[in-house]
Amino acid sequence: MGKRLGILISGRGSNFLAIADAISAGRLDAEIAVVISNNPSAAGLEVARSKGLATSTIPSERGMKREEYDERLTEELNRHNVDLIVLAGFMRILSGKFVNRFRGRILNIHPSLLPSFPGLDVHAAALQYGVKVSGCTVHFVDEGLDSGPIIRQASVPVEGNDTEESLAARILEQEHRIYAEAIALVLSGQYKIEGRRVVPVLAKPAP
Ligand code: GRF
């Protein structure tokens, strides 16, 4: 049995779908234990249901403290015995307590070459700055914003006639490729973290 993923989404869920496809194609040895959304109308939830996956919605209620929300999230993840938490377009900041509890077991994907352009409106920021190369980053989640150790990155060219939409689409293709690869590396355990560097280590040969 593969390790159990808890996938957190807020919207479309194309990264979730790419991960599900990688599992079905045998490129990723894992199973999706649950897909959780803070947004009841996230399109990705429908896709997950249509695939017969367990889903759950935890809406952020008015006045609810971040830690309280994260407690509910924790209960749900534990109920499904999740080994690795995969943020895939999850539009909430996680509390320090939550990050600490699951340290080293939360991944995020961000549509820029970090540390450039963390946060929101990333493609607009990249175009406005005038970079000629952009891309995406899979990283461990720490207490900062898009700041944890980097597991994988992929770059794409920025073309002179790019719009936010065209750049986003070019980057998304790479996101779909590298997220499954990064998850596979983390689940294999064949890496170590030295400072900020995630360094692959080879498996010991069988005796
Ligand atoms: C992706 O661009 C991801 O990098 C960012 O949010 C977007 C989510 O897209 N964090 P999707 O819901 O996976 O299609």
Side-chain angles (χ1 to χ4, degrees):
M1 267 304 195
K3 291 266 175 68
R4 297 172 64 78
L5 308 180
I7 303 195
L8 272 48
I9 64 170
S10 296
R12 174 178 62 177
S14 72
N15 276 287
F16 143 63
L17 186 58
I19 293 163
D21 287 347
I23 294 172
S24 308
R27 282 181 283 116
L28 177 61
D29 181 18
E31 61 180 296
I32 296 174
V34 62
V35 177
I36 302 175
S37 178
N38 61 323
N39 170 13
S41 50
L45 280 177
E46 256 324 299
V47 179
R49 284 186 204 116
S50 73
K51 288 183 163 295
L53 295 169
T55 62
S56 100
T57 305
I58 310 179
S60 11
E61 285 153 23
R62 235 184 144 73
M64 190 194 270
K65 293 217 171 64
R66 188 174 303 287
E67 292 220 345
E68 196 183 327
Y69 184 91
D70 288 355
E71 275 304 321
R72 291 208 192 164
L73 196 52
T74 302
E75 281 166 22
E76 199 58 16
L77 291 164
N78 288 342
R79 197 163 74 81
H80 289 276
N81 293 316
V82 164
D83 297 302
L84 187 70
I85 301 165
V86 176
L87 308 185
F90 187 60
M91 302 301 282
R92 282 185 63 91
I93 306 264
L94 297 164
S95 60
K97 188 173 170 194
F98 183 92
V99 170
N100 208 22
R101 182 180 276 156
F102 294 105
R103 190 171 298 282
R105 293 200 290 137
I106 315 172
L107 307 189
N108 183 41
I109 189 152
H110 183 78
S112 76
L113 291 174
L114 291 170
S116 290
F117 311 121
L120 296 175
D121 294 328
V122 178
H123 305 302
L127 289 174
Q128 198 181 4
Y129 197 95
V131 292
K132 301 301 181 210
V133 175
S134 190
C136 49
T137 305
V138 181
H139 62 92
F140 286 107
V141 171
D142 67 6
E143 284 83 352
L145 181 65
D146 301 323
S147 62
I150 291 171
I151 302 163
R152 234 176 176 77
Q153 291 186 303
S155 61
V156 306
V158 180
E159 309 290 358
N161 59 356
D162 263 332
T163 60
E164 283 178 49
E165 291 70 28
S166 63
L167 180 57
R170 193 174 307 123
I171 291 174
L172 196 63
E173 255 182 61
Q174 299 303 315
E175 295 185 37
H176 294 165
R177 184 175 62 80
I178 67 169
Y179 215 171
E181 292 176 1
I183 294 168
L185 174 69
V186 171
L187 292 183
S188 76
Q190 290 175 12
Y191 66 93
K192 57 186 174 174
I193 301 181
E194 291 175 348
R196 290 198 43 87
R197 298 182 67 190
V198 178
V199 185
V201 291
L202 292 178
K204 290 202 181 75

